[in-house]
Amino acid sequence: MTSTTGLTAIPLAVLVLCTGCTETRTSNPERTAEEQLLLSTAVDRAVDEVTLNLPKGTRVFVDASRFEAYDKSYAISAFRDRVLESGAHLVSQVNDAQVIVEIRSGALSTDGSKTIVGIPSFDVPIPLAGDLSVPELSLASRRQRLGVAKVGYTAYWRESGALADRTEPVQGVAGYQDWEFIGFGWRSGDTLITGEVPDSLPS
C-alpha cells in the first residue's frame, strides 16, 4: 500500500529543486564593442588633427551628405564638436549659415592580419564523410587589428561659393597586436576597453 505522505513528498521535492533556477537571456549585436572602439578611437585621432580657421562666431552648417562610412554618425558629431571648439557657431539650416563645411571620408573601417610560426589550420577531405578540420599548431603567433579613419573637409562661403578654408585629408589609426609564444600571450598597442568588470552587480 502506497503512503499518501510519500506521494506528496515527490512534487514537493521537485518544487524545492526548481526554486531559485533562473535563465538569463543574452543577445549579441552584429558588430562587436571592440570593432566600434577601434573605429571611434581612429575617428577621434583623425579629427584631433583638423583645424578650422574661420572668424570667431561664424555661422557654420556642416554638410555631411557626402560622408558615407561605418559609424558615420559618431564621425559627424566629432566634426561638429571640432567646429564648435574652433569658435564658430553651428546652425541647423543651410540658409542660416555664412559658411558651409562639407566633410568627407576616405576610409573608416577595420583591418586585420595574423602571422604564425608553425602550421596553420587546414581541412583534410574524408571520402563520404566531409572534411576533417586540423587545428593550428604554432610556436609563436601575432594577430593585429586596426581601425583606420581618413577624413577631410572643404569650407566655402554660402553666398559666393568662394573657398573659406580647407584641409588636406588627415588620418587616425587605433589598434593592437596580440602575441603568443608557446602558450604565453600578451597584448601591445591600444587598451580599448578600460576599467575592470565587477564580480557582481549591486542588488
Side-chain angles (χ1 to χ4, degrees):
M1 183 174 180
T2 305
S3 171
T4 304
T5 304
L7 292 175
T8 306
I10 294 174
L12 287 175
V14 173
L15 181 62
V16 170
L17 289 173
C18 292
T19 302
C21 295
T22 60
E23 180 180 349
T24 302
R25 182 179 180 274
T26 60
S27 62
N28 293 312
E30 290 184 7
R31 300 173 58 218
T32 65
E34 179 183 272
E35 179 184 358
Q36 293 176 341
L37 286 167
L38 283 170
L39 289 174
S40 60
T41 303
V43 166
D44 290 339
R45 290 174 178 171
V47 174
D48 279 347
E49 300 297 319
V50 171
T51 302
L52 191 66
N53 295 307
L54 294 174
K56 302 279 186 187
T58 301
R59 298 190 303 276
V60 171
F61 176 80
V62 176
D63 179 6
S65 60
R66 294 175 176 81
F67 196 99
E68 292 296 334
Y70 273 124
D71 286 355
K72 67 178 183 179
S73 294
Y74 184 89
I76 292 167
S77 292
F79 260 108
R80 290 168 62 85
D81 178 78
R82 199 65 171 167
V83 169
L84 288 170
E85 190 178 32
S86 73
H89 295 174
L90 285 173
V91 296
S92 58
Q93 302 294 326
V94 66
N95 290 334
D96 295 332
Q98 296 170 288
V99 170
I100 297 173
V101 175
E102 182 180 299
I103 62 177
R104 58 188 180 273
S105 170
L108 186 53
S109 191
T110 59
D111 203 356
S113 63
K114 185 174 184 179
T115 304
I116 71 167
V117 177
I119 302 173
S121 61
F122 61 94
D123 293 332
V124 178
I126 305 296
L128 305 178
D131 293 337
L132 173 65
S133 295
V134 178
E136 174 186 298
L137 299 173
S138 63
L139 176 66
S141 66
R142 184 199 69 171
R143 175 176 172 263
Q144 178 174 271
R145 287 295 306 277
L146 295 175
V148 180
K150 180 182 178 182
V151 297
Y153 76 86
T154 301
Y156 58 94
W157 297 98
R158 181 180 63 84
E159 291 189 355
S160 66
L163 180 68
D165 191 25
R166 67 180 298 275
T167 183
E168 293 294 332
V170 294
Q171 185 169 298
V173 178
Y176 64 85
Q177 294 178 335
D178 281 335
W179 300 83
E180 187 172 322
F181 181 70
I182 318 181
F184 295 94
W186 66 94
R187 172 169 292 187
S188 62
D190 289 308
T191 302
L192 298 172
I193 301 178
T194 59
E196 295 183 358
V197 179
D199 295 331
S200 61
L201 297 177
S203 58

